[in-house]
Amino acid sequence: MKVLFFGSLREQLGTGELNTALPDGVKTIGQLLQSLQSQGDAWKLALGTGNVLFAVNQDMVDENTAINDSDEVALFPPVTGG
Amino acid sequence: MKVLFFGSLREQLGTGELNTALPDGVKTIGQLLQSLQSQGDAWKLALGTGNVLFAVNQDMVDENTAINDSDEVALFPPVTGG
Amino acid sequence: MISISVQEKDFDVGEEYRQLQSDDTSAGANIGGIAIFTGQVRDLTENPLKFMRLEHYPGMTEKSLQQTAEQAEERWPTIDIRIIHRIGDLAPGEQIVFVGVSSAHRDAAFSACEFSMDILKTSAPFWKKEQHVDGASGWVDAKDVDQQRAERWQDSE
Amino acid sequence: MISISVQEKDFDVGEEYRQLQSDDTSAGANIGGIAIFTGQVRDLTENPLKFMRLEHYPGMTEKSLQQTAEQAEERWPTIDIRIIHRIGDLAPGEQIVFVGVSSAHRDAAFSACEFSMDILKTSAPFWKKEQHVDGASGWVDAKDVDQQRAERWQDSE
């Protein structure tokens, strides 16, 4: 699946896009956020703030939203447009 | 004193401006409104609607506002600008 | 800065907007938002409208609009407030009124703009008379809803 | 009619206003009011700002703005809603965002315009990064007050 990162998250992680298989046992986007944090300290630091927003297929969703391998998933900090 | 009329009042009365001495016993603009109604049926009809606004020296005021001979006084219907 | 104009001639929203933007001597790049409202002559009557005649009380009109803008300036941190109100005969679709507010803050710009329009509608001495194509004419009645909209600013910020 | 644009290039408020005014094929002289808001880059930091970098999530941005305009259209009787949001590097004083709404009614124009701005601020995927003259830079934090302003539309019309 494709996981996109934006804003400060993109910068902290040093990447705007991750192509990965949906990890075993991960059924929701909140679980994906947890799983990604095990990839290393930088990931834990960037994603463990409790201040990450989720989008699935370009709609903002909450952490309990189910995801599957064909979804476009994005993680980003609170938005600051306008 | 100068009494100005605007909008439908001006049209109903057939005049936009009345130059008159302040009638005896008239101390407030509400009393002036009453007094003017005694000038004839057209005046009673136009001014007796209970729907007349008051301005003294170009400020909107209530009926209890005191007036004197040197004031610029205006009577008009509710405004409809904008 | 407050700018008030009561005029027969039309106004150009693009130009008025540039004026609001360009008050840089005092505001520099401190303008965060600009809110604008314009009102137009509608033709909603069954009897087609030829034009709307706007009558006013010269002198008091400018004074009233100035006071409204000053009240807005006291309540919200605005930079510039510009109010233009036209008088005379205005055809359907023509612009009647412009209110523009610049501020460091979006909420102040919106509130001061909407407040100015609501207060203007119930306190500035203008009167509209509809002139129809068939020759009929009639004064426009004040609306209760305008009075209610003006009054809601009395008890809330 | 809804028009959404996410673009690097600047916009002309006068031209956008004309577009709102000229949707006469459907609206005729039914437009009673037009409300417009624009946002600009402010330079309020002690450390002078060189420019603001606007990053976004292509695709989702347009979808989000479209949904916001559709929500406004459902809640208020609007005629046209136009939203423009710029991306890229914007210097202090430059325009960032335009929201314009035409309606038969002044309250609908104001509310739909302010609603669209408030919802956009908390749901459209844009992120601002300040780039200072001295080379320093930093992401702009989201503001609680923006969240509160968006939430107030949930329980009131």
Side-chain angles (χ1 to χ4, degrees):
Chain A
M1 74 186 317
K2 190 160 80 165
V3 185
L4 303 171
F5 306 102
F6 292 97
S8 54
L9 269 194
R10 176 187 54 71
E11 216 170 61
Q12 283 179 277
L13 297 174
T15 181
E17 183 172 338
L18 186 70
N19 283 288
T20 177
L22 191 61
D24 280 347
V26 167
K27 296 195 162 53
T28 69
I29 192 163
Q31 289 166 352
L32 177 67
L33 177 76
Q34 292 301 323
S35 169
L36 288 172
Q37 289 182 54
S38 66
Q39 294 204 154
D41 285 350
W43 292 81
K44 193 158 191 172
L45 193 67
L47 300 175
T49 59
N51 209 12
V52 175
L53 301 185
F54 311 101
V56 173
N57 299 325
Q58 305 190 347
D59 278 318
M60 251 204 258
V61 296
D62 68 25
E63 59 181 351
N64 300 315
T65 301
I67 52 173
N68 65 54
D69 244 334
S70 63
D71 288 328
E72 178 178 307
V73 168
L75 303 176
F76 45 74
V79 303
T80 57
Chain B
M1 76 185 316
K2 190 160 81 165
V3 186
L4 303 171
F5 305 102
F6 293 97
S8 55
L9 269 193
R10 176 186 56 71
E11 215 171 63
Q12 283 179 279
L13 297 173
T15 181
E17 184 172 337
L18 186 70
N19 283 289
T20 177
L22 191 61
D24 280 347
V26 167
K27 296 197 160 53
T28 68
I29 192 163
Q31 288 165 353
L32 177 67
L33 178 75
Q34 293 300 324
S35 169
L36 289 172
Q37 289 182 53
S38 66
Q39 295 205 155
D41 284 351
W43 293 80
K44 193 158 192 173
L45 192 66
L47 300 175
T49 60
N51 209 12
V52 175
L53 301 186
F54 311 101
V56 173
N57 299 326
Q58 305 189 349
D59 278 318
M60 250 203 257
V61 297
D62 68 25
E63 60 181 350
N64 299 316
T65 301
I67 52 174
N68 65 53
D69 243 335
S70 64
D71 288 327
E72 177 179 310
V73 168
L75 303 177
F76 45 75
V79 303
T80 56
Chain C
M1 202 189 72
I2 291 173
S3 164
I4 303 294
S5 177
V6 178
Q7 61 189 44
E8 287 196 22
K9 69 173 192 295
D10 201 5
F11 53 83
D12 180 329
V13 168
E15 177 55 28
E16 296 304 320
Y17 178 75
R18 270 187 293 279
Q19 293 290 331
L20 285 166
Q21 267 194 315
S22 68
D23 187 11
D24 271 354
T25 45
S26 61
N30 288 333
I31 297 176
I34 295 177
I36 286 173
F37 179 84
T38 68
Q40 280 87 36
V41 178
R42 280 190 296 166
D43 186 5
L44 293 179
T45 53
E46 288 181 29
N47 192 351
L49 194 65
K50 190 173 177 191
F51 57 81
M52 190 76 87
R53 176 161 290 168
L54 265 291
E55 175 175 330
H56 77 129
Y57 179 173
M60 179 172 167
T61 321
E62 291 81 354
K63 186 176 179 182
S64 169
L65 295 175
Q66 177 76 27
Q67 285 169 344
T68 297
E70 285 171 2
Q71 286 166 22
E73 205 171 50
E74 275 164 35
R75 287 182 71 153
W76 296 280
T78 63
I79 295 169
D80 284 347
I81 301 180
R82 296 179 75 81
I83 303 179
I84 303 171
H85 202 296
R86 294 178 68 195
I87 51 175
D89 293 346
L90 305 176
E94 278 201 77
Q95 305 181 121
I96 303 175
V97 62
F98 174 93
V99 175
V101 178
S102 61
S103 172
H105 305 286
R106 142 174 133 269
D107 57 339
F110 268 119
S111 294
C113 184
E114 193 165 9
F115 169 89
S116 298
M117 269 307 303
D118 286 348
I119 302 303
L120 174 167
K121 290 283 275 188
T122 55
S123 65
F126 294 99
W127 299 273
K128 289 195 186 97
K129 189 176 187 182
E130 294 174 336
Q131 309 280 341
H132 297 282
V133 172
D134 67 5
S137 67
W139 292 92
V140 172
D141 285 328
K143 295 196 199 83
D144 287 344
V145 65
D146 285 330
Q147 197 59 46
Q148 289 154 15
R149 282 182 65 84
E151 282 166 10
R152 78 201 162 109
W153 295 102
Q154 285 172 10
D155 27 57
S156 77
E157 183 75 359
Chain D
M1 201 189 70
I2 291 172
S3 163
I4 303 293
S5 178
V6 178
Q7 60 189 45
E8 289 197 19
K9 70 173 192 293
D10 201 6
F11 53 83
D12 179 327
V13 167
E15 176 55 28
E16 296 304 321
Y17 177 76
R18 270 187 292 279
Q19 292 291 329
L20 285 166
Q21 267 195 315
S22 69
D23 187 12
D24 271 355
T25 44
S26 60
N30 288 333
I31 297 177
I34 295 177
I36 285 173
F37 179 84
T38 67
Q40 280 88 34
V41 178
R42 279 189 297 166
D43 186 4
L44 294 179
T45 54
E46 289 180 27
N47 192 351
L49 194 64
K50 189 173 177 191
F51 57 80
M52 191 74 88
R53 177 160 290 167
L54 265 290
E55 175 175 328
H56 76 129
Y57 178 173
M60 178 172 166
T61 320
E62 292 81 355
K63 186 177 179 181
S64 170
L65 295 175
Q66 177 76 27
Q67 285 168 346
T68 296
E70 285 170 5
Q71 286 164 23
E73 204 171 53
E74 276 164 33
R75 287 183 72 155
W76 296 281
T78 63
I79 295 169
D80 283 346
I81 300 179
R82 296 179 75 80
I83 302 179
I84 303 172
H85 202 297
R86 293 178 68 197
I87 51 175
D89 293 346
L90 305 176
E94 278 202 77
Q95 306 181 120
I96 303 174
V97 62
F98 173 94
V99 175
V101 178
S102 61
S103 172
H105 305 286
R106 145 174 130 267
D107 58 337
F110 268 119
S111 295
C113 185
E114 192 164 9
F115 169 88
S116 297
M117 269 307 302
D118 286 348
I119 300 304
L120 175 167
K121 290 283 275 188
T122 55
S123 66
F126 294 98
W127 298 272
K128 287 195 188 99
K129 190 176 187 181
E130 294 174 336
Q131 309 279 340
H132 297 282
V133 172
D134 68 4
S137 67
W139 292 94
V140 173
D141 285 328
K143 296 195 197 83
D144 287 345
V145 65
D146 285 331
Q147 197 60 46
Q148 289 154 15
R149 282 183 65 84
E151 282 166 9
R152 78 200 161 111
W153 295 102
Q154 285 172 9
D155 28 57
S156 77
E157 182 76 2

